[in-house]
Structure formats: structure tokens, C-alpha cells
Amino acid sequence: MKHSQDLNEDVGEILLSEDQIRIKVVELGKRISADYAGRELTLVSVLKGSLPFMADLMRQIDLPLRIDLMEVSSYGGTATESSGLVRILKDLSAPIDDRDVLLVEDIIDTGLTLNYLIRYLRGKNPRSIKVCALLDKPARRLVEIPIDYVGFEIPDAFVVGYGLDFGEVYRNLRFVGVLRPEAYES
Ligand code: 5GP
């Protein structure tokens, strides 16, 4: 993989601008605050891709809330395709039994990772569990899972930025974009 020193040069198309993302995150935060009014929430986010979304979303939710972080890696796939085989690298640091849990995800692609996580978290006996994903690629879905809050539906393209990487790079871009083909060439 060859990336430029100026990462912006590797992006062929900006799919979602910084402003579009900011407006959407405010909107999601308002909806979640209204839906859970009078309750306490536990936000669980999945490292590393969901980190910017989690950081921005939690500050738009006006409720008493806790956060927890998991890290998973899917293995057996390629740099741009997930395999559905999920390994937990970091588990929750506190119990979630009897808690209202909102799983905060960067992107739902095949749905295999989410499917695994939901089953895993249900086993910890939360009061409720819902899902908030910034990006949804419905065209590639292999497992049908209801996503309660979706930021944007996007076409079937491999995207980077706002947390999402290619080869661990590009996570710090403030927008979501599609890489130029040259950036994929090794
Ligand atoms: P799924 O299991 O739904 O196929 O994939 C979920 C995970 O694959 C996401 O959390 C993300 O880490 C990765 N992923 C899926 N699509 C993309 C994409 O377009 N760009 C990047 N950077 N990662 C993706």
C-alpha cells in the first residue's frame, strides 16, 4: 500500500463532508435523547473505527450515560472484505446486565460483525440493546439485522475517513471518502 504524505490527495471522491457528518450526528443525538428520555444509557463502541463517531455522538446526547469500549478483529478476510470470523481483542470493562445498551458502530457492511456482537452482548443480559451506525451499506448485507439509528446509507464502495481506515491509515480524515485506485496498489 502506498499513501501520499497529504492523505487528501489519495481521495478520489468525498462522499460525506465534515458538515454533513456534523449535522447528522446532532440529529442522531437528539433522536436518541428523546427516545431514551428519563432513562440511563450505556454506549458501547467498537474500536478503532467508531472512535470519532462515538466521541462526537456522546456529546450530542443529553442523558446520564456511561461508555464502554470493545475491540474486535475479523480474521480470515482481506484488507477490504470482512470474513465474519470475529475475535474479541478487548471486552467490556463493566457489566451491562439490566442496562439499556446502545451499540455505536462506524459502518455495517455484510452485518456479520454486528450479528456476532449483538449475540455476544445479549448473553450479558442487558435490559435492551439497540444499534446506532453512522454508515450503512445495505447492498452487501449477508445477515439481516435491524439497525435502529442509521446516519447515512451509502453505495457499495470501500470508504475511508472519520475513523475508517485502509491499512490503518486515513482514520483522521474529517470526511468520508473513496480512495483513488492508485492508493490500493502496493
Ligand atoms: P461487516 O462485518 O458488517 O462486513 O463489517 C464491519 C466492519 O468492516 C466495520 O466495522 C469496518 O471495520 C469494516 N468495513 C466494512 N466496510 C468498510 C469500508 O467501506 N471501509 C472501511 N474502512 N472499513 C469497512
Side-chain angles (χ1 to χ4, degrees):
M1 191 202 75
K2 177 100 182 72
H3 59 82
S4 309
Q5 196 55 33
D6 178 358
L7 297 180
N8 294 286
E9 288 175 8
D10 295 341
V11 176
E13 186 197 350
I14 295 181
L15 218 55
L16 301 168
S17 70
E18 196 180 345
D19 279 350
Q20 280 175 289
I21 297 170
R22 188 178 23 237
I23 290 165
K24 185 62 76 176
V25 172
V26 170
E27 191 186 304
L28 288 169
K30 283 201 175 111
R31 277 181 56 202
I32 293 165
S33 305
D35 291 354
Y36 287 89
R39 289 148 78 187
E40 292 189 13
L41 195 54
T42 301
L43 299 181
V44 172
S45 116
V46 186
L47 297 170
K48 305 168 194 164
S50 306
L51 197 59
F53 182 41
M54 172 73 148
D56 289 343
L57 182 67
M58 64 186 271
R59 286 174 292 172
Q60 299 299 334
I61 300 177
D62 298 316
L63 298 170
L65 63 78
R66 300 163 190 227
I67 64 167
D68 210 335
L69 302 166
M70 289 185 71
E71 184 168 7
V72 300
S73 75
S74 58
Y75 54 99
T78 67
T80 57
E81 298 276 333
S82 109
S83 64
L85 299 168
V86 178
R87 185 170 41 182
I88 294 178
L89 301 178
K90 188 211 166 297
D91 205 341
L92 297 177
S93 53
I96 53 166
D97 53 288
D98 213 25
R99 300 214 156 264
D100 290 310
V101 172
L102 184 63
L103 185 56
V104 177
E105 271 281 19
D106 48 3
I107 186 165
I108 313 298
D109 187 21
T110 61
L112 294 168
T113 308
L114 180 63
N115 187 45
Y116 175 89
L117 280 172
I118 295 270
R119 284 161 182 259
Y120 180 76
L121 293 174
R122 279 212 183 107
K124 292 178 179 278
N125 301 315
R127 179 183 306 153
S128 69
I129 179 154
K130 289 191 176 187
V131 180
C132 176
L134 180 69
L135 306 174
D136 182 14
K137 274 200 265 186
R140 288 179 36 96
R141 195 75 89 255
L142 295 176
V143 197
E144 234 15 89
I145 312 153
I147 308 171
D148 305 277
Y149 304 94
V150 177
F152 303 92
E153 277 196 8
I154 61 166
D156 180 11
F158 188 78
V159 294
V160 296
Y162 198 67
L164 291 162
D165 74 310
F166 178 65
E168 293 297 327
V169 186
Y170 305 102
R171 294 192 196 275
N172 54 327
L173 293 177
R174 292 194 288 264
F175 53 82
V176 171
V178 181
L179 288 181
R180 290 183 196 282
E182 301 90 272
Y184 286 96
E185 288 159 15
S186 51

